[in-house]
Amino acid sequence: MIYFLSDAHLGSLAIERGWAHQKKLIDMLEMMSKDAVSIYMLGDMFDFWCEFYAHDHAKRQFSPLMKEIRSLIKRGIHVHFFIGNHDLWTFGGLSKLTGMEVHYEPCTISRYGKQIYLSHGDGLLPSNWETLYPRPVRKRIESFIRLKKLFNSPTAQFFFRCLPPAWGNKLGYTWAKKSRLNEIANPCPYKGEDKEELVLFAKEQEKIGNHRDYYIFGHRHIELDLQIASGSRVIILGDCFKQWTYAKLDHKGHLTMHNYEQ
């Protein structure tokens, strides 16, 4: 089996009993390990992650998860990590701590006869988004694009990594907490096939001839399994802190969605 999960937001100040949250994720990975060939984590597994130049003692809170991932890899399971918009500031440290293969860009893989597009999903938009959406939506998208550009700036990254880890973590986790609380108070449900950005992105890829059997995303914190006109399926994984949903692909190329709590 190949497993896909995303959006645990470990360490979030908005999630109570963080140790229990991490333990549940580890238990979920152990469940997957019984028949897993590969496990793909599609971003935002941490609510905030930055590898500072100075030693960061706060990373020790994730030692149980790091140990679990190393154990999975020792047992021959391939573990992949795609950066999200909350944990993009890894510069080799996360890979060194765990042995995971870290992906900084979306990619297409071929498994069991299926072409699978994988990405966290943040920033993926149809090319006509500027004319497709009303002004309030466009302004939110433009703001996100500016913020993403700043976070990916080597200059901004350098100066932030120079901060004492205690300061940087306080800034990062406080910002992330506001985002999490806002999402809990004002959730954004599925927008519909004609408005959901990741669905429109997949449709456009199919239209220009970049066919994939599955498009698998995180980021949106909604559970979606939608077959579009080309026959491709768009999968949005939900999350691993409220919904505890994930997907698995069997050796025949059949993909199914599951809820860990069930």
Side-chain angles (χ1 to χ4, degrees):
M1 294 286 184
I2 299 176
Y3 289 89
F4 307 89
L5 66 153
S6 72
D7 294 270
H9 290 274
L10 289 174
S12 172
L13 300 178
I15 297 175
E16 296 181 0
R17 300 174 70 219
W19 61 271
H21 177 208
Q22 183 173 188
K23 175 65 166 56
K24 187 172 181 178
L25 179 64
I26 291 170
D27 290 344
M28 182 177 173
L29 291 171
E30 270 299 299
M31 177 273 297
M32 294 176 175
S33 74
K34 291 178 172 59
D35 58 5
V37 174
S38 302
I39 296 174
Y40 288 84
M41 301 180 183
L42 296 189
D44 283 4
M45 297 304 293
F46 303 94
D47 205 41
F48 174 72
W49 182 276
C50 180
E51 291 160 8
F52 299 97
Y53 291 117
H55 181 68
D56 183 4
H57 297 284
K59 293 289 189 294
R60 286 185 294 193
Q61 67 177 306
F62 304 121
S63 293
L65 177 64
M66 304 299 160
K67 182 180 179 181
E68 173 65 17
I69 293 171
R70 290 194 297 269
S71 174
L72 294 173
I73 293 170
K74 283 182 181 179
R75 283 178 266 170
I77 299 169
H78 301 283
V79 183
H80 299 258
F81 183 94
F82 283 71
I83 63 167
N85 51 299
H86 281 254
D87 45 24
L88 75 163
W89 286 356
T90 174
F91 306 95
L94 188 56
S95 179
K96 186 176 179 180
L97 280 169
T98 60
M100 289 190 295
E101 182 174 349
V102 176
H103 301 266
Y104 294 87
E105 299 290 341
C107 73
T108 300
I109 62 173
S110 179
R111 298 291 185 273
Y112 304 135
K114 302 295 183 180
Q115 294 294 309
I116 307 167
Y117 183 90
L118 298 172
S119 172
H120 179 60
D122 60 308
L124 295 182
L125 297 160
S127 59
N128 65 337
W129 67 269
E130 292 178 285
T131 58
L132 179 66
Y133 293 109
R135 180 174 173 78
V137 177
R138 290 201 310 271
K139 289 187 73 173
R140 287 197 297 271
I141 292 173
E142 289 165 357
S143 176
F144 184 85
I145 290 173
R146 286 194 298 269
L147 195 61
K148 186 176 175 68
K149 186 176 180 180
L150 174 65
F151 285 175
N152 281 283
S153 162
T155 302
Q157 291 173 354
F158 171 78
F159 283 109
F160 195 85
R161 294 179 73 195
C162 287
L163 290 174
W167 295 6
N169 282 321
K170 185 174 182 179
L171 287 170
Y173 281 112
T174 300
W175 183 313
K177 179 183 179 180
K178 291 178 180 178
S179 172
R180 200 66 38 244
L181 291 174
N182 182 62
E183 180 210 343
I184 292 170
N186 303 287
C188 181
Y190 177 53
K191 301 173 185 177
E193 191 172 342
D194 59 339
K195 289 187 175 66
E196 190 67 49
E197 291 93 337
L198 295 175
V199 173
L200 294 174
F201 171 82
K203 285 185 173 184
E204 185 171 76
Q205 290 295 303
E206 293 295 301
K207 187 175 181 180
I208 63 178
N210 294 332
H211 174 67
R212 285 91 168 195
D213 297 284
Y214 302 112
Y215 292 83
I216 306 181
F217 306 109
H219 185 56
R220 278 283 283 115
H221 297 197
I222 59 173
E223 184 182 1
L224 179 71
D225 182 354
L226 175 70
Q227 184 167 350
I228 56 179
S230 67
S232 301
R233 282 165 62 190
V234 179
I235 307 296
I236 302 180
L237 292 168
D239 64 51
C240 290
F241 70 93
K242 289 186 302 182
Q243 302 171 65
W244 291 96
T245 45
Y246 63 95
K248 68 178 180 180
L249 184 76
D250 69 20
H251 68 284
K252 294 182 179 179
H254 297 147
L255 188 142
T256 50
M257 296 285 288
H258 299 268
N259 185 301
Y260 177 59
E261 294 186 320
Q262 295 175 356

